[in-house]
Amino acid sequence: MRPAVKLPRNSTTALHRPPQPPPLTDIEIISLAQQHGDISSQLPPFLLSESSHPTLLSFLHSRASAATPNSSSSVSDYVSSLLSLISRHPSSALSSLLPPLLHSYLSLFTSHKIPHDRNSFSTLQQLVGYIDSVEISELPKLIDSITSYLPQINDLEDAHVLILLPKCVELVRISNEIDKPVEYINSVMDALLNCEWSKVLLIKMVQIVRDFSFCIDKVRKSEFLEKIFAKMRDDVEIQDLPGLVYQLLVLATKGFGKRQVIEGVVLYFGGTKKAGSIMKQVEGTVLLHVNFAVKQDTSLGQEVLGLVRLDSRAFNHFTVLILLSIARIRRFNESAVAVLKTALLNAYKDYKFAKVCRWLPDELKEEYLEKARAIEKAILKAVNASHYGREHILPSIVQFGFGLLEGVEEGTQKEISKSDGLMGTEELGAQVLKCLFEVHDMSRNEIIEQSKLHVLSLKPERCFPILRLLEYLVQVHPHPMLEHVSHLKEMLDYFAFMDDKISYRVVTVLLPLVKFSRDLKDYIILVLRKAMFRRENTVRLAALNAILDLVLAEKQSKADGLFSFQESSSQASSSQQAEVPQPTKADLFQELSGVLQRCLYQQANVRENLYNGLVKLVLVDPLTAGTVFDFLLFHFQRFYREDAEVVQLGIDQCLKLENGKFCIEEPLDCLLFCVSWILLLQPQIRSDQPSESQPCFGFSITQDNELGLLGKNQDSGSTPTEEEKRRCSATLILGIIEVVMNNIVAELAKAADAQKSELEKELSQFVEIHDSVEKYTSNSRQCSGNRKSIIRPSATDSSHNNKPALGTTKLTIERTPLLSTLTIHRLLQLALELWELDSSKKNSQLSSGKAQAINFKTLSCVLQLCLRQLKFFSFVGKDDPLKKLIYGEIKLIGPSVMNIILSLKAVPKSERDISKKESKGRKDFEDRLEYIHSALLCLKRLIEISLHSSKYAGLIDDLVSANRIDDASTTAVGDEECKLAKGIDDISTKSKELFIKKSIEPLLNEFLDFSFFREAEILCDIVLMIGNTLPEERRNILGSWTMKIVKTSHISNSKVAKCLVLTAVNLTSPPSDFIIAENMAAELLTVVGSEGPTEPSDTSEKFPVINKSTCAAIASTILQSVESTILDFDSIMARLKTHYVATQKGASFNRGGETATELAVEEILYSRTEAVVEVLSHFVAMNLKETQAEHLLRLSAKFYKNLSKLSKLRIALKGCKQVLPSLKYERLVEITCRKLTAPIYNFMAQMQKNQQESNKTKGIVNKIKRENKYIPDLIFQIEDYEKYLIQLSKATKVNLLRHAKRSTSRDFKIVEPVNQENANGSAEESGGEEGETDSCQLPERNRPVAEEEDSEDEDEDEDALVRVKRAKTSLVVQDSSDEEA
């Protein structure tokens, strides 16, 4: 109610003052604002006076101080009313009320005198619209008030006041009334960054910062984001993360630190320790946010890809999830999966390089290993968590898994060792898909469909990993696989059109399913029956092998008690026909015998595979021996006949003439092999079997009837067709002999003592016959040199699992060995016994000499058989039943071979000297060396098998136990550092060192003493093989022992010297290895010689192994070691480049001192490069031969190319800070310029000069072409290196070229070679007479003598070309000495 008006005391004064407008109450003001609908109407006089402003503000404070429940709404209504009146009359005096109203309300809000609720928030939103009407000078006060209030914000409602800040900052930024507005804005941003942020303030700051992001510079943006992510790790609740990340992504789409936002999100979710299902669900929501943000702004996707490309340290499980998520966007489908795959493959590549790089420290190798493990774990963790709201990435996971599998090529990729704890590309890809198959039902159809498409479309070599995946799924998850049997049948439909290896493998993969589905079994049989009638031999062969495996699978399942067609899948789908219990059908072998019978009349390789398959069948189920024997009997009797006392083999019936050439139609040896093993494995044939139908191998082959089997003896009248037939017959006879020897050895095991001597004698005879027949199968002097030996495909060759297990070179397989390892072992024992028996007979020289010749022949044949057996060992599949049958006792061969070596070399020196004088004795001695050589090759092969397969690791133990050298001979080495097998805990390492100590070391010393160079070369190879598998400490001891031999042995054989030097360098750990190489290079300089006045010496005093005969071989060995090190530089350069770029671009992934590790790698690289310079500096001073000089030029060009890369890396990128080069780098530059760059120009000049003075014209054209390639390339690489040195010197203000040539252009001096005739001519001839001088030199270089010598090798056109090219290169290029002066 309005109060009563009082009259003034002095009425006279009152009459002269203007009348005061009647005041309004706050309620009247609110009512006025609500009823004042006409904007053009006048305001009450009270509001038009500025004197009313204090009253109006007092109403605001009184309402705020009223302790009523509705105080918040009353304040909000009052302020809204004032703002409404101000907006209607902007030109009135009421508008000046706005600044104090803002300050007053803000003061009430920040002092918590009014509640912070939706009413206050609504009022603040209204105030934002009136900030434009506030004078600019008032805005800093508002901003300061807000920033000072920031530490008090602890609740979401407290942060409502921040909506005023962006508009105020923007107005200050664009105004001209504020002095230095940019500096003021920066101070405001600093105040925001320096104050303490609560969780609520963090979220609110992320929301509002995008509104004034244009006011913040790059540095403060980075600090702002760093503070946000730092607070995220400490204070933010899990439920607030999705919204916060969304705001950050929105901020990134506005251009606010895109890369840093992506980095922060990846680092937070990839490194957070918060776990549980809630966190995984939050990650799924964040993935959807990222996916949506990338769709809106594709540059964010590029930032994600660039982040992983820039530095693999950003790789974690959340990075994998993000990449898989954005891979669902069409634009990033291929690139995202490719980046993910490349990061993994690069990690494997780095680890493989570090593992074999000898000069990298173990700490770095361990880091490479941990990096690869971390990437594997990240991928598996991402896949395992794919069922927490992340179903949208399942197609990407399937794509990634198959991308890994299809990148593996069978036989070419060297798998990672399982001992390192890494899975490898194939296993990881398979594990990804296995996990999806087990967890997500929806992915199963896609995985099987993609498997089918990949098998049908990829190259055969790339299909095997996918088939192995299918094999696992079939074995572990048969019922889910049967639900998709239609896809599997579709794959079988292409059996005849796929590669034979793949088609065969597809059937074997599906075999475990046939016991659950008769329908699938019948379908497989139908497909195979149809394939047997195809014209292509490979298709029939694959179908035969598949049929045999189907029969074997049934037999094995029955043997295990698992095979029952009455079983059915409880999870079978409706697409399958209902399986009802049915009576068991006849044996599958009998059911398919008609198809198999057809194979007996097809090509030889089909028959051979059939015979071997039947042997496997009998091995699995011996009870089927009778059935298999009946199956083969009629066919066998076609070639095996008995007449009274004569047994005949129809070898001629096994051959046929086709296209004018004889070939093997029936592999009779394989047939006999099959029948003999059937009889050996199941000797008791049914009692009702007629006796005449049981074949007994009573035939014998002697040297008398040998020629009858082979036809007439070869002579000059033999035609090529007859020789071809003879070789085919000999091939069959050799196999038959081996089958017979297997039977004899089997009888020896059961024979009584009285019969053993007769059987051993018969075995020896067959060995001699084998040796005499074998010469017909090879291109020897007795055979035509224009014909190739018979190459017959065999079961071992066509086996679909076969691949060289030891990484050896491919063999020319002429005939599959049919001898079992037991037979080889018995033959070795027999040869050793005969040799020892002959050595013990000293009384009868005649009989002893005759027996010795026979024993030598037997021993030679047995060793060749043994070596062939070991070569074929690696070509047999590890799961092949025949491998156990034939090669199962491979360990028995080792001790026998070792004993033969020791017995053969045990010849007294007196007898050896006598043997060398007599012609017959000399031949026996040479034969003995040949046998030692063959035995050592067998030993080397055995050690390769032992080192590459843990299953045969005990071979070396057997070799150690077989050593019969006296203990006195093992104490020859006196150096303490050469004592082996002392204090070793590892059993394998101890066995290897004992073998070297007791066996290899005495043998090598003895062979070197008696100049058995070929044998010593094999022993060096064995030492190097074993030494590379030893720990570093033990390897160094072995290298020291080898170095002692190098320093004390006078060896003239270049191959042995090369092997010794290579072994010594490779078995010495860096940096000592290059110290040895440098010392040897210095000694090589004294032997090879240089262009100086010093005469070269014949032998090095420090290393006697370096002499005129061996210097070329040793030089090439050292250059090869240097070249391998230079090739290693490329991988290190790639790693350093990644580190430099990531560091200069500000990637924030410096974890656990990785920068220190990279610096250590850099220091090691400098040291190794310096060592290379020291070694090469000696070579550029040598007078090398042309081939080695060219090798040195190529090597130097590669080296300078790497130096250019290294120098380029030291130059900072544009906009990045330049770092000063380290002292080691400056030292490297100095040594390179002083010791290598300057001398190498002299080397090139001298090389051209020597060639200029040479009289040889043969092959000179090719030499000139090579010079025109190598020399310019080397000069270009040197100048490119110096170009980057100049740029680096300018960038760092450090003179790196003080030891290099100063001029920017290469200054040359043309030196003309002076003819001998004009050597004493006047010195006045110069200048204009140069043309005459050149024209006079051409005839001198092509003297008639030289033309006569080479007239037989060079035609006239080439001579003309030589003259032209020589005329162009007749001037020797040398560095000018003017500058030096």
Side-chain angles (χ1 to χ4, degrees):
M1 184 176 179
R2 180 178 299 178
V5 178
K6 297 181 180 181
L7 295 174
R9 294 180 182 179
N10 190 349
S11 58
T12 304
T13 306
L15 292 175
H16 293 281
R17 292 180 181 176
Q20 292 291 334
L24 299 176
T25 63
D26 52 352
I27 296 175
E28 291 175 340
I29 293 173
I30 295 173
S31 177
L32 180 64
Q34 293 174 351
Q35 298 175 4
H36 200 65
D38 187 6
I39 301 177
S40 61
S41 61
Q42 296 293 325
L43 288 172
F46 177 75
L47 296 178
L48 295 176
S49 174
E50 293 186 2
S51 61
S52 63
H53 291 179
T55 305
L56 295 175
L57 294 177
S58 66
F59 291 155
L60 175 63
H61 287 279
S62 62
R63 282 178 171 261
S65 60
T68 60
N70 298 325
S71 60
S72 174
S73 60
S74 65
V75 172
S76 178
D77 292 343
Y78 180 72
V79 174
S80 299
S81 300
L82 290 177
L83 293 176
S84 176
L85 293 174
I86 293 173
S87 64
R88 294 172 188 173
H89 304 276
S91 60
S92 64
L94 189 61
S95 61
S96 61
L97 178 65
L98 185 59
L101 178 63
L102 275 172
H103 287 292
S104 297
Y105 188 82
L106 189 59
S107 175
L108 291 173
F109 187 91
T110 56
S111 60
H112 293 274
K113 292 182 178 180
I114 57 175
H116 297 173
D117 52 16
R118 59 186 180 87
N119 294 319
S120 61
F121 180 62
S122 176
T123 303
L124 289 171
Q125 288 179 324
Q126 292 182 16
L127 291 173
V128 173
Y130 293 91
I131 293 179
D132 293 330
S133 302
V134 178
E135 295 181 2
I136 298 300
S137 59
E138 299 292 333
L139 293 180
K141 299 178 183 179
L142 291 174
I143 295 174
D144 294 341
S145 178
I146 295 173
T147 55
S148 62
Y149 173 67
L150 292 180
Q152 304 177 30
I153 297 177
N154 295 313
D155 198 356
L156 184 60
E157 287 75 12
D158 296 341
H160 290 162
V161 71
L162 293 179
I163 63 175
L164 300 174
L165 190 60
K167 193 64 174 290
C168 295
V169 171
E170 169 64 11
L171 292 175
V172 171
R173 185 183 69 87
I174 63 177
S175 70
N176 297 324
E177 300 176 17
I178 303 295
D179 187 26
K180 299 180 180 179
V182 176
E183 294 182 2
Y184 176 75
I185 296 299
N186 290 337
S187 65
V188 173
M189 294 300 107
D190 292 337
L192 293 176
L193 289 171
N194 295 330
C195 72
E196 185 63 28
W197 289 4
S198 62
K199 292 182 291 184
V200 175
L201 180 59
L202 169 66
I203 298 173
K204 195 64 179 178
M205 290 297 292
V206 174
Q207 293 176 356
I208 68 170
V209 73
R210 67 174 181 268
D211 295 328
F212 51 86
S213 60
F214 44 82
C215 302
I216 309 176
D217 57 18
K218 184 177 180 180
V219 176
R220 288 181 174 83
K221 285 181 180 179
S222 177
E223 294 176 357
F224 194 93
L225 291 174
E226 286 179 5
K227 186 162 186 177
I228 289 176
F229 289 114
K231 297 295 291 183
M232 279 179 61
R233 288 189 289 270
D234 300 331
D235 296 335
V236 179
E237 299 292 338
I238 292 180
Q239 61 269 18
D240 296 331
L241 288 174
L244 183 59
V245 173
Y246 179 80
Q247 294 296 334
L248 285 171
L249 292 173
V250 173
L251 193 62
T253 57
K254 301 297 182 180
F256 194 98
K258 292 184 179 181
R259 174 170 297 178
Q260 199 166 359
V261 168
I262 297 298
E263 286 182 10
V265 173
V266 167
L267 282 178
Y268 177 78
F269 287 97
T272 182
K273 297 181 180 179
K274 300 176 182 178
S277 59
I278 298 179
M279 188 62 189
K280 292 179 180 178
Q281 292 173 2
V282 168
E283 288 181 358
T285 306
V286 171
L287 285 179
L288 294 175
H289 290 336
V290 173
N291 186 278
F292 180 76
V294 173
K295 289 179 181 178
Q296 300 300 315
D297 186 1
T298 56
S299 62
L300 284 178
Q302 298 295 341
E303 291 295 340
V304 175
L305 301 182
L307 179 66
V308 182
R309 290 193 188 107
L310 179 65
D311 197 341
S312 60
R313 289 173 293 180
F315 206 98
N316 53 54
H317 80 280
F318 196 74
T319 310
V320 177
L321 290 171
I322 290 180
L323 289 173
L324 293 174
S325 179
I326 67 174
R328 300 303 303 139
I329 303 172
R330 180 177 299 179
R331 181 171 183 176
F332 297 101
N333 180 261
E334 297 294 335
S335 57
V337 176
V339 166
L340 189 58
K341 182 179 174 182
T342 302
L344 175 67
L345 296 180
N346 286 341
Y348 286 150
K349 181 181 177 181
D350 290 345
Y351 169 65
K352 288 180 181 178
F353 161 73
K355 187 176 180 181
V356 299
C357 185
R358 300 175 57 249
W359 48 276
L360 284 180
D362 293 337
E363 294 79 9
L364 183 61
K365 295 181 179 181
E366 186 65 25
E367 181 190 337
Y368 277 113
L369 178 59
E370 290 301 325
K371 173 184 171 184
R373 285 175 181 169
I375 291 180
E376 283 187 349
K377 292 178 181 178
I379 293 174
L380 292 178
K381 184 177 180 181
V383 174
N384 290 331
S386 60
H387 56 285
Y388 286 95
R390 309 170 192 182
E391 285 75 12
H392 72 285
I393 68 172
L394 294 183
S396 299
I397 297 178
V398 174
Q399 180 183 355
F400 173 66
F402 279 102
L404 292 179
L405 290 182
E406 69 184 11
V408 180
E409 188 170 345
E410 191 77 2
T412 59
Q413 176 164 334
K414 190 175 181 181
E415 287 297 322
I416 295 177
S417 175
K418 302 298 181 184
S419 61
D420 299 325
L422 295 178
M423 301 176 68
T425 307
E426 179 183 347
E427 187 176 350
L428 181 61
Q431 188 62 36
V432 167
L433 296 174
K434 291 174 189 177
C435 179
L436 277 190
F437 192 90
E438 294 170 358
V439 176
H440 297 280
D441 296 346
M442 67 180 71
S443 66
R444 293 176 179 174
N445 184 71
E446 180 67 17
I447 290 175
I448 297 175
E449 178 66 19
Q450 288 296 325
S451 298
K452 181 192 74 175
L453 294 177
H454 280 80
V455 168
L456 296 178
S457 60
L458 290 179
K459 293 181 179 179
E461 303 82 26
R462 299 183 182 273
C463 292
F464 288 102
I466 299 174
L467 291 174
R468 283 191 282 270
L469 170 67
L470 283 177
E471 183 178 21
Y472 171 86
L473 297 177
V474 165
Q475 292 176 354
V476 180
H477 307 284
H479 299 301
M481 290 295 291
L482 285 174
E483 294 179 2
H484 306 277
V485 72
S486 59
H487 295 298
L488 304 178
K489 288 182 178 180
E490 289 177 8
M491 194 158 45
L492 288 172
D493 291 338
Y494 292 90
F495 182 91
F497 305 97
M498 290 187 286
D499 182 83
D500 57 321
K501 297 178 182 178
I502 302 303
S503 58
Y504 161 78
R505 191 82 174 97
V506 166
V507 176
T508 57
V509 162
L510 301 180
L511 288 181
L513 293 179
V514 300
K515 64 182 178 182
F516 299 107
S517 174
R518 186 184 296 277
D519 177 60
L520 180 60
K521 174 196 170 187
D522 294 339
Y523 196 86
I524 291 175
I525 293 176
L526 176 63
V527 169
L528 297 179
R529 284 180 183 271
K530 290 170 62 177
M532 289 300 298
F533 289 88
R534 299 282 299 187
R535 297 183 61 183
E536 298 87 351
N537 184 45
T538 55
V539 176
R540 296 198 305 271
L541 194 59
L544 170 62
N545 290 328
I547 290 174
L548 292 172
D549 281 359
L550 180 62
V551 176
L552 285 174
E554 183 195 32
K555 295 295 183 183
Q556 289 174 340
S557 298
K558 284 183 177 180
D560 297 337
L562 299 176
F563 197 96
S564 174
F565 287 109
Q566 297 180 3
E567 298 180 18
S568 62
S569 174
S570 60
Q571 304 176 7
S573 66
S574 59
S575 62
Q576 293 178 258
Q577 296 180 357
E579 297 283 353
V580 296
Q582 297 180 5
T584 305
K585 290 187 177 181
D587 185 74
L588 189 58
F589 174 74
Q590 296 177 354
E591 182 182 344
L592 298 175
S593 59
V595 178
L596 297 177
Q597 194 76 32
R598 178 182 173 84
C599 298
L600 295 175
Y601 302 93
Q602 296 189 8
Q603 283 81 357
N605 57 351
V606 177
R607 303 184 193 187
E608 185 176 348
N609 277 264
L610 174 62
Y611 300 149
N612 287 327
L614 293 176
V615 174
K616 297 177 186 178
L617 180 61
V618 176
L619 284 172
V620 173
D621 185 9
L623 296 178
T624 60
T627 305
V628 175
F629 186 82
D630 293 341
F631 174 80
L632 289 174
L633 181 59
F634 177 77
H635 183 70
F636 177 70
Q637 289 176 342
R638 293 174 54 197
F639 310 99
Y640 181 90
R641 294 186 298 275
E642 290 188 47
D643 296 333
E645 298 180 354
V646 180
V647 178
Q648 296 182 351
L649 292 175
I651 294 181
D652 289 341
Q653 302 176 27
C654 301
L655 309 178
K656 72 173 181 178
L657 186 64
E658 189 177 50
N659 298 326
K661 294 183 179 181
F662 273 97
C663 62
I664 297 175
E665 183 181 24
E666 172 61 45
L668 184 58
D669 52 348
C670 294
L671 177 59
L672 285 174
F673 176 81
C674 177
V675 173
S676 66
W677 276 112
I678 292 174
L679 295 176
L680 288 174
L681 294 172
Q682 188 67 24
Q684 297 298 326
I685 309 299
R686 297 192 310 269
S687 59
D688 58 345
Q689 180 77 21
S691 60
E692 62 271 10
S693 67
Q694 301 181 17
C696 177
F697 300 146
F699 60 89
S700 63
I701 301 177
T702 63
Q703 292 179 349
D704 297 333
N705 59 18
E706 169 195 335
L707 297 179
L709 291 171
L710 295 175
K712 68 176 183 177
N713 190 14
Q714 68 273 15
D715 52 20
S716 58
S718 299
T719 63
T721 304
E722 292 174 348
E723 293 178 358
E724 194 78 26
K725 180 180 179 181
R726 187 180 299 114
R727 281 196 289 274
C728 292
S729 301
T731 301
L732 292 177
I733 293 173
L734 285 177
I736 295 170
I737 293 173
E738 292 175 1
V739 173
V740 174
M741 286 194 290
N742 284 339
N743 290 332
I744 294 175
V745 171
E747 293 178 12
L748 268 173
K750 300 178 289 185
D753 294 340
Q755 298 176 341
K756 285 186 177 181
S757 59
E758 289 296 328
L759 291 174
E760 289 178 352
K761 181 179 179 181
E762 186 177 359
L763 189 61
S764 300
Q765 292 175 354
F766 274 109
V767 171
E768 296 176 16
I769 296 171
H770 189 286
D771 183 59
S772 61
V773 174
E774 194 171 14
K775 63 186 178 182
Y776 292 96
T777 63
S778 60
N779 295 328
S780 57
R781 289 175 297 178
Q782 291 87 357
C783 300
S784 174
N786 298 326
R787 294 279 182 173
K788 293 182 179 180
S789 57
I790 302 300
I791 300 178
R792 186 184 70 193
S794 62
T796 305
D797 307 331
S798 58
S799 176
H800 302 281
N801 293 326
N802 295 342
K803 60 180 183 292
L806 304 179
T808 56
T809 56
K810 295 183 179 180
L811 300 173
T812 303
I813 303 174
E814 298 182 0
R815 189 174 60 83
T816 306
L818 300 178
L819 281 176
S820 67
T821 307
L822 284 174
T823 302
I824 297 289
H825 173 60
R826 191 68 189 88
L827 290 175
L828 290 172
Q829 285 184 328
L830 180 61
L832 183 61
E833 291 171 1
L834 293 175
W835 172 259
E836 291 178 346
L837 181 63
D838 177 70
S839 299
S840 63
K841 293 180 180 181
K842 301 295 183 181
N843 51 356
S844 176
Q845 294 183 357
L846 181 61
S847 60
S848 176
K850 183 177 180 180
Q852 186 180 29
I854 296 174
N855 294 338
F856 271 163
K857 189 174 182 180
T858 302
L859 184 59
S860 173
C861 181
V862 171
L863 289 175
Q864 292 300 322
L865 291 173
C866 179
L867 183 59
R868 187 188 62 173
Q869 190 86 351
L870 294 174
K871 287 181 179 179
F872 274 83
F873 174 80
S874 59
F875 286 87
V876 183
K878 62 180 180 179
D879 298 327
D880 194 337
L882 285 179
K883 183 164 188 176
K884 184 176 181 181
L885 181 66
I886 300 178
Y887 301 98
E889 304 297 333
I890 199 75
K891 293 182 179 180
L892 298 176
I893 296 179
S896 301
V897 170
M898 195 68 207
N899 289 330
I900 288 176
I901 295 173
L902 298 177
S903 298
L904 288 174
K905 67 95 182 175
V907 179
K909 187 176 184 303
S910 57
E911 294 184 13
R912 188 182 293 114
D913 295 338
I914 295 174
S915 299
K916 289 182 179 180
K917 296 178 181 178
E918 301 177 0
S919 59
K920 183 177 181 303
R922 184 167 57 253
K923 185 179 184 306
D924 292 342
F925 181 72
E926 292 174 355
D927 290 341
R928 184 194 294 262
L929 287 183
E930 287 295 330
Y931 306 145
I932 293 176
H933 185 263
S934 299
L936 286 172
L937 290 177
C938 295
L939 179 65
K940 179 181 176 181
R941 186 66 185 173
L942 282 168
I943 293 174
E944 287 180 1
I945 294 173
S946 175
L947 295 178
H948 288 85
S949 175
S950 58
K951 181 179 178 181
Y952 301 100
L955 270 172
I956 295 182
D957 291 331
D958 298 338
L959 294 175
V960 173
S961 61
N963 187 15
R964 301 183 301 177
I965 298 180
D966 296 336
D967 293 338
S969 62
T970 64
T971 60
V973 180
D975 274 344
E976 292 295 329
E977 62 180 2
C978 296
K979 290 183 178 180
L980 304 175
K982 299 296 184 181
I984 304 174
D985 296 329
D986 185 64
I987 298 177
S988 176
T989 302
K990 187 173 183 179
S991 299
K992 293 172 184 176
E993 293 203 9
L994 283 175
F995 175 65
I996 294 176
K997 177 71 176 177
K998 292 186 176 181
S999 302
I1000 302 300
E1001 182 180 337
L1003 285 175
L1004 181 58
N1005 291 332
E1006 189 169 351
F1007 288 164
L1008 291 177
D1009 290 341
F1010 296 111
S1011 300
F1012 296 171
F1013 293 127
R1014 287 198 309 162
E1015 293 72 22
E1017 185 180 353
I1018 298 176
L1019 291 181
C1020 289
D1021 293 340
I1022 293 175
V1023 171
L1024 186 58
M1025 280 194 308
I1026 297 177
N1028 286 331
T1029 63
L1030 295 176
E1032 181 178 2
E1033 179 184 357
R1034 314 310 301 182
R1035 188 167 60 244
N1036 286 332
I1037 296 177
L1038 204 56
S1040 300
W1041 165 66
T1042 312
M1043 273 303 301
K1044 182 183 177 182
I1045 298 177
V1046 171
K1047 291 180 179 180
T1048 57
S1049 300
H1050 296 263
I1051 299 172
S1052 59
N1053 186 277
S1054 60
K1055 292 184 178 180
V1056 176
K1058 181 177 180 178
C1059 288
L1060 286 172
V1061 172
L1062 181 64
T1063 303
V1065 173
N1066 286 347
L1067 296 184
T1068 303
S1069 298
S1072 301
D1073 58 341
F1074 264 39
I1075 294 176
I1076 294 174
E1078 182 186 354
N1079 293 335
M1080 288 188 175
E1083 294 300 314
L1084 276 172
L1085 181 59
T1086 63
V1087 175
V1088 175
S1090 60
E1091 296 302 323
T1094 307
E1095 291 293 331
S1097 59
D1098 294 333
T1099 305
S1100 169
E1101 297 181 359
K1102 189 175 181 180
F1103 300 105
V1105 74
I1106 301 177
N1107 49 61
K1108 289 293 185 181
S1109 303
T1110 63
C1111 59
I1114 294 176
S1116 64
T1117 302
I1118 297 176
L1119 288 177
Q1120 289 171 3
S1121 299
V1122 172
E1123 186 173 14
S1124 65
T1125 300
I1126 293 175
L1127 293 177
D1128 291 341
F1129 289 164
D1130 290 333
S1131 298
I1132 295 295
M1133 294 293 182
R1135 181 178 175 87
L1136 289 178
K1137 181 179 179 181
T1138 302
H1139 168 68
Y1140 285 141
V1141 173
T1143 303
Q1144 293 176 8
K1145 289 189 176 182
S1148 55
F1149 299 104
N1150 184 19
R1151 303 176 184 171
E1154 291 189 10
T1155 301
T1157 304
E1158 300 298 339
L1159 293 176
V1161 173
E1162 190 176 350
E1163 297 294 327
I1164 294 171
L1165 178 61
Y1166 294 158
S1167 300
R1168 195 68 176 177
T1169 308
E1170 185 177 331
V1172 171
V1173 173
E1174 295 289 351
V1175 175
L1176 293 180
S1177 64
H1178 295 287
F1179 279 93
V1180 295
M1182 295 182 194
N1183 190 11
L1184 296 175
K1185 295 181 180 179
E1186 293 176 351
T1187 55
Q1188 289 184 340
E1190 292 173 359
H1191 185 197
L1192 180 60
L1193 293 180
R1194 295 196 305 270
L1195 195 61
S1196 301
K1198 293 179 183 178
F1199 180 65
Y1200 275 101
K1201 186 176 182 179
N1202 281 286
L1203 289 179
S1204 300
K1205 293 180 181 179
L1206 185 60
S1207 301
K1208 186 178 180 180
L1209 289 179
R1210 300 298 310 174
I1211 302 174
L1213 299 176
K1214 186 176 181 180
C1216 301
K1217 182 180 179 181
Q1218 177 66 54
V1219 180
L1220 292 176
S1222 63
L1223 295 178
K1224 278 201 170 185
Y1225 179 77
E1226 293 186 32
R1227 173 180 168 81
L1228 172 62
V1229 172
E1230 175 187 347
I1231 292 177
T1232 304
C1233 295
R1234 186 163 45 86
K1235 291 190 175 183
L1236 188 59
T1237 304
I1240 207 168
Y1241 279 107
N1242 299 330
F1243 177 80
M1244 288 186 287
Q1246 189 62 40
M1247 177 182 173
Q1248 289 182 314
K1249 182 178 180 181
N1250 292 340
Q1251 199 173 57
Q1252 185 92 357
E1253 297 173 353
S1254 174
N1255 296 327
K1256 295 181 180 179
T1257 59
K1258 183 178 179 180
I1260 198 66
V1261 175
N1262 292 330
K1263 294 177 183 177
I1264 295 174
K1265 290 180 179 179
R1266 290 195 297 269
E1267 281 183 16
N1268 291 339
K1269 177 182 178 181
Y1270 298 141
I1271 294 180
D1273 182 43
L1274 176 57
I1275 294 176
F1276 169 78
Q1277 297 298 343
I1278 294 175
E1279 294 185 345
D1280 192 47
Y1281 166 58
E1282 293 180 348
K1283 177 188 72 175
Y1284 288 116
L1285 287 182
I1286 294 172
Q1287 295 178 6
L1288 185 58
S1289 297
K1290 291 180 178 179
T1292 59
K1293 309 301 181 183
V1294 177
N1295 185 10
L1296 298 173
L1297 296 171
R1298 55 184 177 273
H1299 297 283
K1301 198 175 184 68
R1302 296 291 181 127
S1303 60
T1304 56
S1305 62
R1306 192 63 64 183
D1307 186 13
F1308 290 112
K1309 177 182 178 182
I1310 306 301
V1311 179
E1312 301 176 10
V1314 180
N1315 292 335
Q1316 194 67 25
E1317 298 176 357
N1318 302 328
N1320 298 324
S1322 65
E1324 298 175 358
E1325 297 179 0
S1326 62
E1329 298 179 2
E1330 281 185 11
E1332 296 182 8
T1333 305
D1334 291 343
S1335 62
C1336 293
Q1337 288 175 352
L1338 290 175
E1340 179 64 19
R1341 284 194 310 278
N1342 296 282
R1343 295 189 302 271
V1345 177
E1347 292 178 357
E1348 291 175 3
E1349 290 176 353
D1350 299 321
S1351 60
E1352 297 177 359
D1353 302 303
E1354 302 287 340
D1355 55 12
E1356 295 180 358
D1357 294 337
E1358 183 174 355
D1359 287 338
L1361 182 60
V1362 170
R1363 294 188 188 99
V1364 173
K1365 288 186 175 291
R1366 269 295 167 222
K1368 293 180 180 180
T1369 59
S1370 60
L1371 301 178
V1372 180
V1373 180
Q1374 294 184 350
D1375 288 339
S1376 174
S1377 59
D1378 297 338
E1379 186 179 354
E1380 297 177 1

